[in-house]
Amino acid sequence: MSQEKIDIPGLLSRMPLFSALSSEDLQQVADATREKRIQKGEMLFQRGDQPKGFYYVIFGQIKLAFSSPNGNEKVVEILGPHQSFGEAVMFMDRQYPVFAESLADTLLLHITRDAVFNLIDQDAGFARRMLAGMAIRLHSMVRDVESYSLRSSTQRVIGYLLQQVSDAPCKGATQAAVDLPTSKQIIASRLNLTPETLSRIFNELSNAGLITVQGKHISLHNVDKLRNYEG
């Protein structure tokens, strides 16, 4: 992984959370921010560690997960560039309920708790932006729980594939392509499925002529039919 020095104030200024800060406040945050480079397969923190701030992904991919009592791994979230994590646990002053592992060579920024708390004390607008960001994350988690509870396994997989389409197809277009961001095993855990169930659903959708799976590359042959497929 390249070790060239990065422009921390410049990166922070492009984060929605810090975009409205003055240059002086931004520099204060930058002074309390450190870059963290980790290689694929490396642990960022373990379940039970005490948070000292929160993280922002510049490039790479981070998996948040925990081990269930029977030893299986449950993936809670997969985070990529321009996503942050750890804010809520930082505020609660509790231990991490999950572990964080890199799925690729990754560069992160670690913004310290003291820097965040100082800004909250000084700037009500900053506090509102941070609350808004955590509220969006909460709504996303609620949608996930709803999806697991109310949607079938096949509907979950279809929903995930449609989410991965980088740009909505032009009106009238029916085809799209998806490159899975990580292994099928991790995606299965994220969707609360076994790898065997995910493979079965991919085979079912392939046999229906809706998708073609080539490794991590998946061709969607008819987006509308896929969206309305009942299984």
Side-chain angles (χ1 to χ4, degrees), residues 7-231:
D7 175 17
I8 290 179
L11 290 169
L12 290 173
S13 69
R14 291 194 285 273
M15 291 174 59
L17 181 61
F18 299 120
S19 60
L21 293 184
S22 67
S23 57
E24 292 81 6
D25 286 342
L26 195 62
Q27 187 59 53
Q28 286 184 17
V29 178
D31 291 342
T33 297
R34 298 291 178 266
E35 63 179 275
K36 179 75 174 178
R37 297 173 187 266
I38 55 177
Q39 297 181 339
K40 181 179 179 180
E42 189 175 345
M43 286 289 182
L44 178 64
F45 54 76
Q46 295 280 0
R47 183 176 185 176
D49 287 351
Q50 193 71 30
K52 298 179 181 178
F54 74 98
Y55 292 93
Y56 182 78
V57 183
I58 303 302
F59 66 75
Q61 201 170 55
I62 294 289
K63 172 183 72 178
L64 302 182
F66 63 87
S67 296
S68 63
N70 61 10
N72 293 327
E73 181 179 281
K74 175 64 183 84
V75 177
V76 175
E77 199 162 9
I78 300 169
L79 299 145
H82 315 303
Q83 290 183 285
S84 62
F85 59 98
E87 301 96 323
V89 181
M90 174 188 71
F91 279 111
M92 294 166 67
D93 195 24
R94 294 186 179 178
Q95 298 172 337
Y96 286 116
V98 295
F99 67 80
E101 179 185 356
S102 59
L103 298 174
D105 289 353
T106 299
L107 173 62
L108 306 121
L109 294 182
H110 181 253
I111 299 102
T112 65
R113 174 179 168 166
D114 287 346
V116 173
F117 282 24
N118 287 340
L119 278 173
I120 288 173
D121 289 341
Q122 298 168 14
D123 184 351
F126 175 81
R128 286 193 294 270
R129 290 194 298 277
M130 177 149 266
L131 283 170
M134 288 193 292
I136 290 170
R137 179 75 58 81
L138 176 61
H139 282 298
S140 176
M141 292 173 65
V142 170
R143 284 197 301 271
D144 280 350
V145 172
E146 182 181 39
S147 173
Y148 297 154
S149 303
L150 302 179
R151 301 174 75 187
S152 71
S153 299
T154 301
Q155 288 172 333
R156 270 180 263 164
V157 173
I158 290 172
Y160 178 81
L161 291 176
L162 295 175
Q163 278 185 335
Q164 300 307 304
V165 177
S166 56
D167 297 302
C170 298
K171 192 170 183 179
T174 60
Q175 298 183 346
V178 167
D179 288 306
L180 299 179
T182 186
S183 72
K184 293 173 186 174
Q185 182 175 1
I186 291 173
I187 290 169
S189 179
R190 179 70 184 88
L191 296 175
N192 213 26
L193 305 172
T194 64
E196 295 77 15
T197 299
L198 180 62
S199 294
R200 176 184 60 76
I201 292 169
F202 278 162
N203 287 333
E204 175 187 329
L205 297 176
S206 296
N207 292 336
L210 296 172
I211 67 172
T212 297
V213 181
Q214 296 174 303
K216 289 186 177 182
H217 184 80
I218 301 180
S219 300
L220 313 184
H221 301 307
N222 192 311
V223 172
D224 287 337
K225 284 186 178 180
L226 184 64
R227 184 178 289 112
N228 296 319
Y229 183 74
E230 297 293 338

